[in-house]
């Protein structure tokens, strides 16, 4: 059985092209306890690609989960074994992505129509990585499946056929026909009550709610009904929303990080990554920092400097300090988050 892990009261959602190791390093400086998730990585890429490219993480990231995409139990087992060797705490199976590319590979949200196959996948992953928690992230239904019983049957089948006890539920349907991935994050209506009902009917499971959550007050409200909350895009565009999570939701009495300390850590990190000589450039890291000054006077100049191709071209981490110096010239007035 996997070892006991910190509670998933808060987590940052897996987001394609966004939650790479550089973003996760930044997030971990802001919050000590929040669970972090990788982008979805295809099982085939883990098996046949460069493991260091797809699986490398920073030592500071834990607790951290890697999300896999796939539908072949044998391939997912191979990928899970490789993932576990890199020190991840959790391996999550994607059963929620609605993109056409994922559908062609017969995985993602369409797997919700094949609960038996999902069970086989989860069992194969757990057997291959016995020291990792194996979890699943899914929607409440596919296309026009609007009945609560759809998601209840999916969860119930996996509960009876696998050792999986953690279900991360995006509280929208996935419309595989007619909506883009972006529209799938916005158009299907949110049905938080379905997720709350899952927790009532499966009290022994860890139920995490996801979808459209953007404020600390919303997080607190959801935590009255479920075990945890996963936040996505708000954590990327406004990462300092995580600054008070340890205090508010984990009872940590330590002072949250100050921006000047964070900026200094990010500059040092960039220096270390560039000096390692593995092809990492400042732009790879700085693109994740653009939202850090959200709500501050000076946020615009911070974004402009850290996204300016001419300023980034010399690949000098001192640009981060220079952008911060410009922010400090403005009044330190932060809007409420």
């Amino acid at each position: 059985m996997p070892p006991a892990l910190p509670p998933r009261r808060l987590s940052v959602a897996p987001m394609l092209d966004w939650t790479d190791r550089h973003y996760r390093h930044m997030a971990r400086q802001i919050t000590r306890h929040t669970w972090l998730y990788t982008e979805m990585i295809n099982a085939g890429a883990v098996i046949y690609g460069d493991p260091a490219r797809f699986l490398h993480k920073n030592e500071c990231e834990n607790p951290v989960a890697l999300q896999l995409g796939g539908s072949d139990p044998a391939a997912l087992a191979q990928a899970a074994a490789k993932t576990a060797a890199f020190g991840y705490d959790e391996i999550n199976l994607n059963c929620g992505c609605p993109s056409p590319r994922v559908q062609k590979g017969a995985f993602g949200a369409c797997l919700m129509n094949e609960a038996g196959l999902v069970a086989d996948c989860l069992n194969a992953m757990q057997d291959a990585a016995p020291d990792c928690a194996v979890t699943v992230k899914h929607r409440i239904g596919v296309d026009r499946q609007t009945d609560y019983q759809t998601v209840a049957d999916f969860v119930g089948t996996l509960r009876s056929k696998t050792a999986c006890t953690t279900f991360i539920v995006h509280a929208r349907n996935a419309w595989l026909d007619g909506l883009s991935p972006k529209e799938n994050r916005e158009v299907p209506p949110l049905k938080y009550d379905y997720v709350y009902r899952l927790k009532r009917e499966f009290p022994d499971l860890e139920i995490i709610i996801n979808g459209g959550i953007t404020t600390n007050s919303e997080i607190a409200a959801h935590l009255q009904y479920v075990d945890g909350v996963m936040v996505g895009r708000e954590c990327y565009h406004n990462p300092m929303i995580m600054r008070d999570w340890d205090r508010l939701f984990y009872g940590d009495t330590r002072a949250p990080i100050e921006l000047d300390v964070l900026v200094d850590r990010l500059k040092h990190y960039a220096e270390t990554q560039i000096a390692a000589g593995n092809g990492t450039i400042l732009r790879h890291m700085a693109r994740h920092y653009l939202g850090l000054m959200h709500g501050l006077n000076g946020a615009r100049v911070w974004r402009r400097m850290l996204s300016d191709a001419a300023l980034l071209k010399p690949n000098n981490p001192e640009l981060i300090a220079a952008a911060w110096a410009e922010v400090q010239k403005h009044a330190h007035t932060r809007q409420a988050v």
Side-chain angles (χ1 to χ4, degrees), residues 215-233:
T215 69
N216 290 339
S217 60
E218 290 171 355
I219 291 170
H222 287 302
L223 285 173
Q224 297 180 54
Y225 303 100
V226 292
D227 299 295
V229 174
M230 175 176 276
V231 181
R233 302 171 74 80

Side-chain angles (χ1 to χ4, degrees), residues 19 33 49 59 80 102 104 117 197 225 232 237 259 318:
T19 52
H33 305 294
E59 289 185 6
V102 165
K104 288 179 181 178
L117 174 58
R197 185 173 171 184
Y225 303 100
H237 296 305
L259 271 171
E318 288 296 331

Side-chain angles (χ1 to χ4, degrees), residues 96-119:
C97 182
S99 77
R101 178 172 60 86
V102 165
Q103 291 178 53
K104 288 179 181 178
F107 60 96
C110 58
L111 281 176
M112 287 198 67
N113 292 323
E114 300 185 62
L117 174 58
V118 174

Side-chain angles (χ1 to χ4, degrees), residues 144-202:
R144 301 309 190 268
Q145 297 170 342
T146 58
D147 186 21
Y148 164 77
Q149 201 58 42
T150 297
V151 68
D153 289 346
F154 180 78
V155 171
T157 297
L158 298 184
R159 178 179 177 274
S160 65
K161 292 187 175 183
T162 77
C164 180
T165 59
T166 299
F167 293 75
I168 303 166
V169 189
H170 187 154
R172 300 182 196 268
N173 274 42
W175 291 0
L176 303 182
D177 184 23
L179 291 183
S180 68
K182 180 179 185 297
E183 290 170 329
N184 259 291
R185 293 191 298 267
E186 301 168 352
V187 174
L190 285 160
K191 296 182 178 179
Y192 294 136
D193 57 309
Y194 280 20
V195 189
Y196 298 166
R197 185 173 171 184
L198 281 175
K199 181 59 188 177
R200 291 198 303 271
E201 295 186 3
F202 299 96

Side-chain angles (χ1 to χ4, degrees), residues 22-329:
H22 303 309
Y23 171 82
R24 298 193 308 268
H25 168 269
M26 177 191 70
R28 181 57 71 222
Q29 309 313 304
I30 301 170
T31 170
R32 300 178 179 94
H33 305 294
T34 299
W35 279 73
L36 306 177
Y37 282 71
T38 70
E39 310 165 80
M40 184 188 72
I41 301 173
N42 187 289
V46 174
I47 297 169
Y48 303 111
D50 176 9
R53 176 187 172 192
F54 292 105
L55 299 178
H56 179 69
K57 65 179 183 64
N58 301 291
E59 289 185 6
C60 70
E61 290 181 33
N62 299 70
V64 61
L66 184 135
Q67 187 183 69
L68 286 174
S71 59
D72 175 51
L76 285 164
Q78 290 184 63
K82 288 196 173 190
T83 298
F86 275 74
Y88 286 86
D89 299 296
E90 173 191 325
I91 306 171
N92 178 264
L93 179 63
N94 184 311
C95 293
C97 182
S99 77
R101 178 172 60 86
V102 165
Q103 291 178 53
K104 288 179 181 178
F107 60 96
C110 58
L111 281 176
M112 287 198 67
N113 292 323
E114 300 185 62
L117 174 58
V118 174
D120 291 341
C121 292
L122 293 173
N123 287 330
M125 292 163 65
Q126 191 68 82
D127 289 344
D131 293 329
C132 278
V134 172
T135 68
V136 60
K137 187 173 189 292
H138 58 92
R139 298 279 183 133
I140 58 172
V142 176
D143 292 322
R144 301 309 190 268
Q145 297 170 342
T146 58
D147 186 21
Y148 164 77
Q149 201 58 42
T150 297
V151 68
D153 289 346
F154 180 78
V155 171
T157 297
L158 298 184
R159 178 179 177 274
S160 65
K161 292 187 175 183
T162 77
C164 180
T165 59
T166 299
F167 293 75
I168 303 166
V169 189
H170 187 154
R172 300 182 196 268
N173 274 42
W175 291 0
L176 303 182
D177 184 23
L179 291 183
S180 68
K182 180 179 185 297
E183 290 170 329
N184 259 291
R185 293 191 298 267
E186 301 168 352
V187 174
L190 285 160
K191 296 182 178 179
Y192 294 136
D193 57 309
Y194 280 20
V195 189
Y196 298 166
R197 185 173 171 184
L198 281 175
K199 181 59 188 177
R200 291 198 303 271
E201 295 186 3
F202 299 96
D204 55 317
L205 299 179
E206 185 178 35
I207 302 294
I208 313 298
I209 197 168
N210 171 234
I213 301 162
T214 61
T215 69
N216 290 339
S217 60
E218 290 171 355
I219 291 170
H222 287 302
L223 285 173
Q224 297 180 54
Y225 303 100
V226 292
D227 299 295
V229 174
M230 175 176 276
V231 181
R233 302 171 74 80
E234 188 68 17
C235 287
Y236 193 84
H237 296 305
N238 178 22
M240 289 302 279
I241 189 179
M242 298 182 282
R243 183 175 183 267
D244 293 318
W245 284 3
D246 292 348
R247 175 180 60 84
L248 292 174
F249 304 113
Y250 285 93
D252 194 324
T253 58
R254 288 172 287 184
I257 195 167
E258 297 294 339
L259 271 171
D260 59 341
V261 176
L262 176 58
V263 169
D264 188 63
R265 289 184 186 178
L266 296 180
K267 182 172 80 74
H268 176 71
Y269 174 78
E271 290 168 347
T272 302
Q273 293 295 311
I274 292 170
N278 295 321
T280 301
I281 60 175
L282 183 60
R283 178 173 56 83
H284 294 159
M285 296 165 281
R287 70 188 185 98
H288 299 304
Y289 305 160
L290 301 183
L292 272 177
M293 304 300 157
H294 178 83
L296 281 180
N297 291 332
R300 183 176 297 180
V301 69
W302 169 268
R303 291 194 302 269
R304 180 184 61 76
M305 291 181 68
L306 292 187
S307 60
D308 187 307
L311 295 177
L312 289 165
K313 188 174 182 180
N315 212 29
N316 187 348
E318 288 296 331
L319 177 62
I320 298 171
W324 172 239
E326 289 300 314
V327 173
Q328 289 180 297
K329 291 178 182 178

